[in-house]
Amino acid sequence: MNPLLFNLNGWEIPIIVLVILILFGGKKIPEFMKGLGKGINSFKRGLNDIEEDIKTEPADKKTSTPSNP
């Protein structure tokens, strides 16, 4: 990760917020945040589904494998 992206001082954060407010306006920011929240929730849901598939897959293979006499 680039350390320059996260090396913000106290006054830089309010300036960035002010520029974002000027560019997008007060009405677009809640819509953007709502979309961002939905995207994050969808991503987390997808990760949880993959984790569940990985956890249940070995158990399914053991029970579905036919035994040879």
Side-chain angles (χ1 to χ4, degrees), residues 4-5 28 30 35-36 39-41 45-46 49 58 64 69:
L4 295 175
L5 295 176
K28 290 287 183 179
L36 183 65
I40 291 172
N41 285 336
R45 197 174 313 120
D49 289 345
S64 64

Side-chain angles (χ1 to χ4, degrees), residues 14-52:
I15 291 172
I16 292 171
V17 170
L18 182 65
V19 169
I20 291 172
L21 278 172
I22 291 171
L23 289 176
F24 295 108
K27 295 181 181 179
K28 290 287 183 179
I29 292 175
E31 294 173 13
F32 173 72
M33 290 301 187
K34 184 178 179 181
L36 183 65
K38 286 182 178 181
I40 291 172
N41 285 336
S42 175
F43 181 75
K44 286 181 180 180
R45 197 174 313 120
L47 284 178
N48 288 336
D49 289 345
I50 291 172
E51 287 179 3
E52 288 176 12

Side-chain angles (χ1 to χ4, degrees), residues 8-15:
L8 298 175
N9 293 329
W11 284 105
E12 293 172 353
I13 295 172
I15 291 172

